[in-house]
């Protein structure tokens, strides 16, 4: 009579010691605060490959927030403008980057508003992972083609040109919106 198979006995499985070592060395590090699996399909998708630098930084910051909540708050994620800036996104382009992420189906946004003196944060949902209420990933990014991505660039370029044409008479710093005027302006103007 052959001996019974015990699934805990690694020496009798096809993987054996190698399987244990691979599992040990590919597990997420406990001291680094969590992880999130990203598939090859996602990384090669047109929606992801065509992201602008700022959109990629904003997406990475949203993933960090998601991982920081042990991946249990998707659909209730909030990231402030200051957090996007601290992560490296250009302050003037954050809104454009978030709109790009939404257009390409990577993120859903429930935009906040500032009304009666009480600000309401924008709530984010990553479409490539399940939500806080147990719903599966919607993976809307799969529907985006290269033509859609190209259309986004052309539409956004057009919007920016129109915005620049309307605001041409305003003097803006090339460094973006800041609380203080650049040092050179203060010295030249004598103020």
């Amino acid at each position: 009579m052959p001996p019974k198979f015990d699934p805990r006995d690694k020496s009798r499985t096809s993987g054996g010691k190698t399987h244990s070592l691979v599992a040990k060395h590919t597990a997420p590090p406990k001291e680094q605060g969590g992880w999130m699996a990203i598939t090859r399909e996602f990384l090669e998708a047109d929606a992801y490959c065509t992201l602008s630098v700022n959109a990629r930084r904003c997406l990475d910051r949203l993933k960090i927030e998601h991982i920081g909540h042990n991946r249990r708050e998707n659909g209730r994620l909030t990231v402030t403008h200051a957090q996007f800036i601290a992560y490296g996104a250009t302050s003037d382009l954050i809104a454009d980057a978030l709109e790009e992420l939404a257009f390409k189906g990577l993120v859903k946004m429930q935009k906040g508003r500032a009304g009666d003196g009480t600000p309401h944060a924008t709530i984010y949902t990553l479409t490539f992972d399940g939500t806080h209420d147990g719903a599966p990933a919607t993976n809307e990014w799969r529907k985006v083609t290269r033509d859609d991505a190209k259309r986004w660039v052309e539409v956004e370029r057009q919007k920016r040109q129109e915005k620049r044409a309307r605001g041409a008479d305003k003097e803006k710093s090339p460094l973006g919106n800041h609380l203080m005027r650049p040092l050179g302006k203060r010295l030249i103007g004598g103020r």
Side-chain angles (χ1 to χ4, degrees):
M1 182 170 181
K4 285 187 167 184
F5 175 74
D6 183 4
R8 292 170 291 170
D9 183 7
K10 298 293 182 192
S11 65
R12 297 191 48 106
T13 63
S14 62
K17 185 176 181 181
T18 303
H19 177 73
S20 297
L21 286 173
V22 169
K24 174 183 175 185
H25 294 295
T26 58
K30 292 178 183 172
E31 70 276 358
Q32 291 184 3
W35 63 283
M36 178 178 186
I38 302 293
T39 65
R40 179 179 180 168
E41 177 191 14
F42 179 79
L43 293 173
E44 292 177 341
D46 292 332
Y48 185 77
C49 290
T50 59
L51 286 177
S52 66
V53 172
N54 280 300
R56 182 121 1 149
R57 285 182 182 157
C58 288
L59 181 62
D60 288 345
R61 183 59 187 91
L62 287 166
K63 288 189 288 190
I64 289 168
E65 189 70 18
H66 185 44
I67 292 167
H69 291 286
N70 296 319
R71 296 181 46 231
R72 293 189 180 133
E73 295 295 319
N74 194 20
R76 296 191 286 204
L77 297 172
T78 58
V79 176
T80 65
H81 195 78
Q83 288 172 319
F84 284 123
I85 293 169
Y87 193 70
T90 305
S91 64
D92 293 347
L93 301 176
I94 291 173
D96 290 342
L98 293 171
E99 291 294 329
E100 179 181 353
L101 291 173
F103 179 84
K104 293 182 178 179
L106 297 165
V107 172
K108 287 183 185 176
M109 295 187 295
Q110 183 181 353
K111 292 193 177 190
R113 63 190 188 326
D116 54 9
T118 307
H120 299 279
T122 299
I123 309 296
Y124 301 97
T125 304
L126 302 173
T127 64
F128 49 91
D129 205 6
T131 61
H132 65 91
D133 56 1
T138 59
N139 293 321
E140 295 166 23
W141 51 270
R142 286 182 175 148
K143 299 173 190 170
V144 176
T145 64
R146 287 272 175 186
D147 291 335
D148 293 332
K150 185 178 177 183
R151 190 175 80 235
W152 169 257
V153 170
E154 290 170 354
V155 167
E156 193 56 36
R157 187 175 298 138
Q158 181 72 22
K159 285 182 185 176
R160 289 180 184 170
Q161 287 173 350
E162 290 172 6
K163 188 175 182 179
R164 277 194 295 263
R166 285 192 310 259
D169 56 342
K170 294 181 184 178
E171 184 180 329
K172 279 195 166 185
S173 166
L175 302 174
N177 294 333
H178 299 284
L179 297 175
M180 293 176 32
R181 291 190 315 233
L183 182 60
K185 294 267 185 185
R186 281 187 270 145
L187 291 176
I188 294 170
R191 290 181 236 167

